[in-house]
Amino acid sequence: MIKVAIMGYGVVGSGVYEVIRKNEKSIAKKTGGKTITVKHILDLRDFPDHEQPQLFTKSFEDIVNDPEVAIVVEVMGGLTPAYEYSKAALLAGKNVVTSNKALVAEHGTELMQIAKEQNVNYLFEASVGGGIPIIRPLSQCLAANELEEIYGILNGTTNFILTKMITDGADFEEALAEAQRLGYAERNPEADVEGYDACRKIAILASLASGKYVNWSTIETEGITKITRRDVAFAEKFQAVIKLIGHAKITEDEKVYARVSPMLIPKGHQLADVNGVFNAILVKGDSIGDVMFYGQGAGKLPTASAVVADVIDAAKHIHTNKLITWKEVKENFMVDPDTVVARFFVKANAAEVMKDFPGAEPLGDEAGTWYFVTEAMPEGEFKKKLNGRGDFIRVLEG
Ligand code: HSE
């Protein structure tokens, strides 16, 4: 029997409880006969109508000091006290499983190191892509590859909004209101629409793929708030759709490029048809070629599915560290974004701007904005030529 504590009984925490209870028998078959049961649930709120009210505690001490608890599930979100509790649980020799991307992106290096020293595991499959397997594929299934590039639709809320703008011709504000009405977007949607959520996720993927800690705060991040219905319509003229993409590239000399920004995805590309709240991650490896992961990137049971898979994995490796890690590197290994070559979809504020871009493909103009797509060129050169005379979106070519 393996005893688990769940910290945080929100949407994901209650999903984890439900999946562990519902699938108890089938889970036991996957752990070599060991049953997994929930012994404590930490939450500051009261749940008097819960089927097992005796499991609830408001004190972390009840968990960290309980020698029977072998696995702690941290689904509280935020940095504090999730960081302090996770660290204390690992130092007490307990495995920790999390869905907390902000914590993994900020303190993952240290928490994985402590896990290694304690011969336990810090597992975070649910932190990126919700229910989609991506952490384990990157660290295990694709381990034979040199991982070269990742393109991810990593945020369901923004993908829902952009899909509405594309299919219904909605404005950003209308599409956001619809996402809020359906419960996909939060009342304060900043973390999603400004790209902060996708930034933490691509930081985790870039760190895993490169083996070097990519600090999320160094990743240039742009959300979707500036995208207009008109941009979407002119992208359509270029046979493309606009999506928020987390992009990471590992160069041959082991440098890392990472960015979150809207991109034009040519129709026919695998990522162009990923719609609504769905997520997808395209990974390029030197042996596998392209491999794409697609599914539900959020939600109670999809996220719980990934968390409980980690619980099962932890149960099978109670005192064996799985060596899922990256290392902190002092010297700067990030690619200068100005050197990255791309085509640019330009929204220029004057007709003559396009003249400075020989070979550009004109798309037309409307209400004082001239749209065109440049030839491929380094970003620094492009920005110099544009010289602030408009805005732009990068075109995905890979
Ligand atoms: N707000 C996130 C999304 C939830 O919309 O994808 C999962 O991290």
Side-chain angles (χ1 to χ4, degrees), residues 109-124:
T109 320
E110 181 194 4
L111 295 172
M112 283 185 279
Q113 181 58 29
I114 297 172
K116 194 172 159 208
E117 285 159 14
Q118 296 289 330
N119 251 341
V120 290
N121 289 288
Y122 182 62
L123 302 176
F124 46 93

Side-chain angles (χ1 to χ4, degrees), residues 101 126-127 129-130 154-158 184 186 192 197 201 277 279 297-299 303:
K101 71 219 122 193
S127 66
L154 300 170
N155 182 271
T157 305
T158 45
Y184 297 141
E186 314 227 354
D192 291 319
D197 173 80
K201 292 169 176 168
V277 290
N279 283 196
T303 309

Side-chain angles (χ1 to χ4, degrees), residues 13-192:
S14 58
V16 169
Y17 173 84
E18 191 179 319
V19 172
I20 289 177
R21 290 279 283 176
K22 180 165 70 100
N23 297 345
E24 190 183 281
K25 285 206 180 91
S26 62
I27 288 172
K29 283 187 204 149
K30 290 160 196 158
T31 59
K34 291 183 251 179
T35 307
I36 291 177
T37 56
V38 177
K39 184 163 182 202
H40 303 285
I41 302 174
L42 178 73
D43 203 292
L44 293 178
R45 295 163 297 178
D46 291 312
F47 294 87
D49 300 328
H50 194 270
E51 62 174 6
Q52 291 186 291
Q54 77 284 3
L55 298 185
F56 284 85
T57 175
K58 293 182 170 52
S59 168
F60 173 64
E61 301 302 311
D62 289 343
I63 292 171
V64 74
N65 293 329
D66 184 342
E68 274 197 345
V69 171
I71 303 169
V72 175
V73 173
E74 183 274 299
V75 282
M76 315 168 78
L79 295 182
T80 298
Y83 166 63
E84 290 79 5
Y85 289 179
S86 299
K87 188 170 171 176
L90 290 167
L91 286 168
K94 301 181 190 306
N95 292 268
V96 175
V97 168
T98 189
S99 61
N100 189 338
K101 71 219 122 193
L103 183 57
V104 177
E106 181 76 30
H107 294 295
T109 320
E110 181 194 4
L111 295 172
M112 283 185 279
Q113 181 58 29
I114 297 172
K116 194 172 159 208
E117 285 159 14
Q118 296 289 330
N119 251 341
V120 290
N121 289 288
Y122 182 62
L123 302 176
F124 46 93
E125 182 60 66
S127 66
V128 182
I132 305 172
I134 185 62
I135 302 298
R136 204 165 271 97
L138 283 187
S139 56
Q140 291 177 221
C141 317
L142 299 175
N145 287 261
E146 296 283 342
L147 295 171
E148 296 165 343
E149 201 159 17
I150 298 170
Y151 288 106
I153 294 175
L154 300 170
N155 182 271
T157 305
T158 45
N159 204 46
F160 175 86
I161 292 170
L162 290 170
T163 303
K164 276 268 150 202
M165 291 175 74
I166 294 161
T167 56
D168 300 0
D171 277 323
F172 170 76
E173 294 298 341
E174 285 167 3
L176 170 61
E178 172 79 348
Q180 286 171 319
R181 198 179 60 73
L182 292 171
Y184 297 141
E186 314 227 354
R187 233 172 329 142
N188 177 358
E190 195 186 2
D192 291 319

Side-chain angles (χ1 to χ4, degrees), residues 2 64 68 105 110 136 189 221-222 242 263 278 313-314 316 322 346 377-378 380 384 395 397:
I2 305 265
V64 74
E68 274 197 345
E110 181 194 4
R136 204 165 271 97
T221 298
E222 183 189 332
I242 301 176
M263 292 188 93
F278 279 82
D313 206 7
K316 287 158 74 177
K322 294 192 68 199
V346 181
M377 63 181 76
K384 215 156 138 193
V395 178
E397 303 280 0

